[in-house]
Amino acid sequence: MNNLENSQAPYNFGVCASADCTKRFTCLRYIALQNASPQYPFLPTLSPRKLESMKGECEYYRPNTPVRYARGFTRVAGTFRLRLISYFGRKNYYLARKGEYLIDPAAQQYIVSQAEALGLRLDDYFDEYVERYDWWG
């Protein structure tokens, strides 16, 4: 995932044009701007005044380190369905169970803890894993 393709950044993801930032080469906001698709000529961008006011401590920094998301949990879905529906909401529960909604590390930890609390121990609780950038934090 070293190369950020034009289509990877969400359209409404805020970008940064600060050429002075020491973290710019590891920040998704700067990298996304450098790789922006010409299809979108206007992008939401951090304003120069906001950049000046932060004085080098950027609250909008998004590291370009991929995160390991899980996809699907059909192995454990029926065991504690109501607990997971209350956690994800009904729609997202079914999307996540089928693998259409990626499960972030915090939600993975919750699912595993709920399974283990009910005595369910598996080598792996999820159908597969994918690496993606964490655009929204």
Side-chain angles (χ1 to χ4, degrees):
M1 291 197 62
N2 293 332
N3 296 329
L4 186 66
E5 297 172 10
N6 290 343
S7 62
Q8 281 186 285
Y11 168 69
N12 59 346
F13 183 69
V15 297
C16 179
S18 177
D20 299 333
C21 179
T22 59
K23 295 181 179 180
R24 69 185 178 275
F25 297 117
T26 63
C27 182
L28 283 175
R29 295 189 187 284
Y30 185 82
I31 296 168
L33 180 61
Q34 303 311 306
N35 293 285
S37 172
Q39 178 183 2
Y40 303 112
F42 299 102
L43 299 171
T45 307
L46 277 169
S47 72
R49 293 188 80 184
K50 180 62 178 176
L51 289 168
E52 288 173 17
S53 73
M54 291 188 289
K55 300 187 187 335
E57 289 300 317
C58 184
E59 61 191 90
Y60 299 101
Y61 175 74
R62 297 294 320 137
N64 68 334
T65 307
V67 174
R68 185 178 185 221
Y69 289 89
R71 181 177 294 180
F73 52 90
T74 56
R75 295 179 178 113
V76 297
T79 309
F80 46 96
R81 182 175 58 90
L82 293 178
R83 289 183 188 189
L84 295 181
I85 287 174
S86 69
Y87 180 80
F88 284 107
R90 182 170 298 281
K91 179 181 176 184
N92 287 342
Y93 164 80
Y94 287 105
L95 291 173
R97 185 185 75 178
K98 293 187 301 185
E100 295 175 16
Y101 175 90
L102 295 179
I103 306 160
D104 65 47
Q108 291 173 45
Q109 188 175 6
Y110 177 80
I111 292 168
V112 171
S113 70
Q114 293 300 305
E116 290 178 349
L118 294 171
L120 181 61
R121 305 243 187 269
L122 299 173
D123 290 336
D124 203 347
Y125 296 86
F126 304 100
D127 300 343
E128 68 176 299
Y129 295 92
V130 295
E131 286 195 346
R132 298 286 190 268
Y133 291 117
D134 184 8
W135 296 102
W136 304 107

